[in-house]
Amino acid sequence: MNQLTGPISKFSTYSLTSLSLSHNKFQGDFPNSIFEFLKYLTYLDMSSNDFSGLVNFSEFSKLENLIFLSVSNNKFLSTNINSNNVDYVLPNLGNLYFSSCSVTIFPPFLAKLQNLRNLDLSNNKIHGKIPNWFSDNLLYTWKSMNFIDLSFNQLQGDLPIPPNGTYYFAVSNNNFTGGIPSTLSLSTELILSHNHLSGTIPSMFCNATFLDALILSHNHLSGVIPQCLGALPDLTILDLQVNNLHGNIPTHFSQNYNFQTIKLNNNQLDGSLPRSLSNCIILEVLDLAENNIEDVFPSWLEGLQELQVLSLKANKFHGTITSFGAKHPFPKLRIFDVSNNKFSGPLSTSFFESFQGMKDLSNSTHHPRGLLYMHRSSGTAYNDSVVVIIKGQSTELVRILTTFTTIDLSNNMFEGEIPHVIGELSSLKGLNLSHNKISGTIPKTLENLTSLEWLDLSWNQLKGEIPMALTNLNFLAVLNLSENQLKGIIPIGEQFNTFQNNSYIGNPMLCGFPLSKSCDNDKEQPPSVFAEAKESLFGWKAVAVGYGCGVVFGMFLGRLFIKTAKPLWLARLLCGYT
């Protein structure tokens, strides 16, 4: 974990038993002298470097005492695993980490390992079905297996079944088909996302009292969500997004104080929100977007002091958005999306005043380790994600920066004026209030949103002029004020010089660049050839003629232009000008 670079020199010692060079920037070929001299090694970690070339895995069989081996995350390194040679055996190997090593086949030497406890083959190119011997070993040989990660490969067929006691089991982003086996062991973390699994969620999950993470997202699961999932005592992540689940959300979320992420978005869930969600007092992400939930705004969620992401978009929520009266409502909320619902009424000033998490994130932006992402306190591989509209485009944030803030209230029926207090949300990067019935003027206080990158106020009933102060928004990349009742001169300067006509169309009383409508109120006078010529001895018409016939002759025509005001006939006659 330093910044060490260059190749690894040849080893010449025999006594070394532990070698860790991970998380540096070492380059060059993998040091083969390890196999020649370090035959007493029990621990070898060369992961997360820039080693290159080809390594024959059979060479590792010379290290017979090896217990721990990791060469993961060397993007220029390839590993040759000969499928026809399984003679080499590492009798003591219990921990094998071979992620991102360009492995194409399931390593056959694993069949002879007796003490394997942790296996990471993720992010490779392994294709085809999982061998029968691997499934047999999981059931009968590797009964102390703790960690299995086969995600991000091209595996097919049925799901392997890990032994009881496995705390992390990930096979996401493969091509497994069929349903979830009813005999699947209850791992602490079960990640089966991004496959082609179908069927219902088995009721055996109700017995998973030690389950920490259940991730079944991006499959074809149908049926209802088992009611027991809300009451599992140790569950911190429930990710069932992008399936075909229907029915109600589990009604009983117990006060287990463990839930950090609940993602049920992009299903067909209906009914109302269970009030028991307020028991999840350390909840950070609640994503229920793209369902058929019909309810009023859950203001009782404002007591969740750790909530950072709340997405209710594209449901059937209705009514006004008001405060529930919590002392510090939504203090850490940074992503607030209730777009595409049926909310109505005015935008509450007190509601926006409470968004402390959007007011000042200077501590995060100047963190000594640079930009930070949301992560779980347990440090597992799961990343929180969310789909938001950024600069008019639907974008999935596969990792969420702790500095990312946005408010999307678009496609509702909100009315009244834009609260001036929105200008206090100085860290806001995106604001979308489009397609509502908002009236009044654009608050000048929006000039304080110095981090704003997109602003959409289109399709409302806004009046008055566009505040000149908005030209101070130096990061503003997308502006949409179209289809309102704005009037006056469009501000110019800074970012406003980059916006096109479509930012302002549908405002007939606006004028100025980039619109073709001039802001000059004087009636246009018919052009006077004599007046133009009198303005300058070498007006543009004289110059044009001069370029056609020669500079000297052009000067002559220019003088004639002044005297007769009808030079064009002579130009055509003498120069062939048409």
Side-chain angles (χ1 to χ4, degrees):
M1 296 187 181
N2 287 290
Q3 301 292 321
L4 301 175
T5 60
I8 301 296
S9 301
K10 184 177 180 180
F11 289 95
S12 58
T13 178
Y14 292 92
S15 60
L16 204 63
T17 59
S18 179
L19 175 62
S20 178
L21 304 178
S22 67
H23 294 86
N24 279 286
K25 295 183 178 180
F26 288 118
Q27 302 159 338
D29 292 338
F30 192 88
N32 287 321
S33 60
I34 289 178
F35 308 129
E36 182 180 355
F37 292 98
L38 307 186
K39 295 184 178 181
Y40 293 102
L41 274 182
T42 59
Y43 185 101
L44 177 61
D45 189 353
M46 309 289 282
S47 63
S48 299
N49 279 288
D50 294 323
F51 290 118
S52 56
L54 178 67
V55 175
N56 289 315
F57 191 86
S58 58
E59 294 290 324
F60 287 104
S61 63
K62 299 176 180 179
L63 309 178
E64 297 181 355
N65 298 311
L66 211 56
I67 297 174
F68 181 102
L69 173 60
S70 177
V71 293
S72 295
N73 301 312
N74 284 279
K75 58 184 177 182
F76 305 114
L77 184 68
S78 296
T79 306
N80 181 26
I81 297 177
N82 189 349
S83 60
N84 298 320
N85 182 7
V86 294
D87 293 336
Y88 48 89
V89 177
L90 295 169
N92 300 311
L93 190 65
N95 306 275
L96 178 63
Y97 297 91
F98 250 55
S99 175
S100 303
C101 289
S102 300
V103 178
T104 58
I105 63 170
F106 221 89
F109 66 88
L110 294 178
K112 293 189 177 183
L113 297 182
Q114 299 294 313
N115 302 305
L116 195 62
R117 301 173 66 90
N118 298 293
L119 175 65
D120 186 356
L121 297 176
S122 64
N123 290 281
N124 281 295
K125 301 175 183 178
I126 305 174
H127 57 275
K129 293 184 177 181
I130 292 180
N132 290 333
W133 58 258
F134 183 81
S135 298
D136 290 342
N137 277 10
L138 286 175
L139 291 176
Y140 306 114
T141 303
W142 300 328
K143 293 185 178 181
S144 298
M145 199 69 148
N146 295 323
F147 182 99
I148 304 173
D149 193 347
L150 307 178
S151 59
F152 291 92
N153 281 286
Q154 301 166 27
L155 296 168
Q156 301 173 346
D158 296 329
L159 283 172
I161 301 176
N164 287 324
T166 301
Y167 72 83
Y168 186 93
F169 178 61
V171 293
S172 65
N173 294 81
N174 281 286
N175 295 309
F176 291 114
T177 57
I180 301 175
S182 59
T183 56
L184 189 66
S185 65
L186 303 178
S187 308
T188 303
E189 294 197 21
L190 186 62
I191 306 176
L192 309 179
S193 65
H194 289 82
N195 285 286
H196 299 283
L197 301 175
S198 58
T200 60
I201 300 176
S203 59
M204 59 97 178
F205 284 112
C206 293
N207 300 322
T209 55
F210 297 104
L211 192 63
D212 173 70
L214 178 59
I215 305 169
L216 308 177
S217 62
H218 295 84
N219 283 294
H220 302 287
L221 299 173
S222 58
V224 299
I225 301 174
Q227 288 288 321
C228 64
L229 294 187
L232 291 179
D234 293 330
L235 197 62
T236 63
I237 296 176
L238 178 61
D239 188 347
L240 308 179
Q241 65 175 314
V242 194
N243 278 289
N244 298 313
L245 301 169
H246 63 267
N248 295 336
I249 298 173
T251 56
H252 182 61
F253 286 85
S254 60
Q255 291 183 328
N256 54 28
Y257 310 120
N258 284 324
F259 272 112
Q260 296 178 21
T261 296
I262 297 177
K263 293 180 64 64
L264 306 178
N265 52 289
N266 294 83
N267 281 286
Q268 302 170 28
L269 302 173
D270 51 28
S272 58
L273 290 187
R275 292 288 291 266
S276 60
L277 279 171
S278 61
N279 293 330
C280 306
I281 60 174
I282 63 170
L283 190 66
E284 297 179 358
V285 176
L286 179 59
D287 192 345
L288 305 175
E290 304 282 351
N291 279 290
N292 298 310
I293 301 170
E294 187 169 358
D295 204 345
V296 297
F297 180 75
S299 54
W300 36 269
L301 288 176
E302 65 186 24
L304 301 181
Q305 302 293 291
E306 302 298 324
L307 192 64
Q308 300 181 46
V309 178
L310 177 59
S311 181
L312 305 177
K313 71 176 180 181
N315 278 283
K316 297 179 181 179
F317 287 96
H318 54 86
T320 59
I321 293 182
T322 56
S323 177
F324 192 63
K327 185 176 181 180
H328 300 291
F330 296 122
K332 293 187 178 181
L333 196 64
R334 297 184 292 104
I335 298 177
F336 180 56
D337 191 346
V338 295
S339 60
N340 293 280
N341 280 286
K342 298 180 180 179
F343 288 115
S344 58
L347 300 176
S348 172
T349 297
S350 60
F351 190 75
F352 291 104
E353 283 180 330
S354 64
F355 291 167
Q356 296 296 322
M358 301 184 188
K359 290 184 178 181
D360 185 12
L361 295 179
S362 57
N363 291 334
S364 295
T365 56
H366 294 92
H367 194 277
R369 290 171 55 192
L371 296 176
L372 299 178
Y373 295 90
M374 291 185 64
H375 68 284
R376 300 185 61 218
S377 57
S378 58
T380 62
Y382 181 82
N383 290 316
D384 284 307
S385 63
V386 67
V387 175
V388 292
I389 301 296
I390 298 179
K391 301 177 183 179
Q393 303 293 325
S394 181
T395 304
E396 181 180 11
L397 301 178
V398 294
R399 300 174 70 191
I400 305 175
L401 277 169
T402 57
T403 57
F404 184 84
T405 55
T406 182
I407 294 176
D408 194 341
L409 310 182
S410 61
N411 289 283
N412 281 286
M413 296 180 289
F414 291 113
E415 56 190 21
E417 299 186 352
I418 300 175
H420 288 213
V421 295
I422 290 183
E424 298 178 7
L425 309 180
S426 57
S427 296
L428 201 62
K429 293 187 179 298
L431 177 61
N432 190 346
L433 306 180
S434 65
H435 292 83
N436 281 287
K437 299 178 180 179
I438 299 173
S439 58
T441 60
I442 300 175
K444 183 177 179 296
T445 56
L446 295 188
E447 69 171 318
N448 298 322
L449 303 180
T450 53
S451 298
L452 203 64
E453 297 180 16
W454 65 94
L455 174 63
D456 193 345
L457 305 179
S458 63
W459 292 93
N460 280 290
Q461 300 169 15
L462 295 170
K463 300 179 181 179
E465 298 183 348
I466 302 173
M468 181 66 68
L470 296 187
T471 59
N472 296 326
L473 302 180
N474 294 328
F475 294 101
L476 193 62
V478 173
L479 174 69
N480 193 349
L481 303 177
S482 63
E483 303 297 338
N484 279 286
Q485 301 169 27
L486 299 170
K487 65 179 182 179
I489 302 174
I490 296 175
I492 58 174
E494 302 297 336
Q495 294 299 99
F496 269 71
N497 291 345
T498 67
F499 303 136
Q500 304 300 315
N501 284 17
N502 55 5
S503 293
Y504 310 105
I505 57 174
N507 291 278
M509 292 182 287
L510 278 181
C511 59
F513 179 84
L515 301 178
S516 58
K517 182 180 179 181
S518 172
C519 293
D520 188 359
N521 293 326
D522 296 334
K523 293 183 178 179
E524 293 185 1
Q525 301 295 329
S528 171
V529 177
F530 179 76
E532 292 177 5
K534 187 176 181 180
E535 184 176 321
S536 174
L537 179 62
F538 299 100
W540 68 270
K541 292 185 179 179
V543 174
V545 175
Y547 277 111
C549 302
V551 176
V552 176
F553 195 59
M555 294 172 63
F556 165 75
L557 288 180
R559 290 181 176 274
L560 188 60
F561 186 97
I562 300 297
K563 295 180 179 181
T564 66
K566 297 179 180 179
L568 296 180
W569 64 271
L570 183 60
R572 293 192 182 99
L573 177 63
L574 298 179
C575 302
Y577 175 74
T578 57

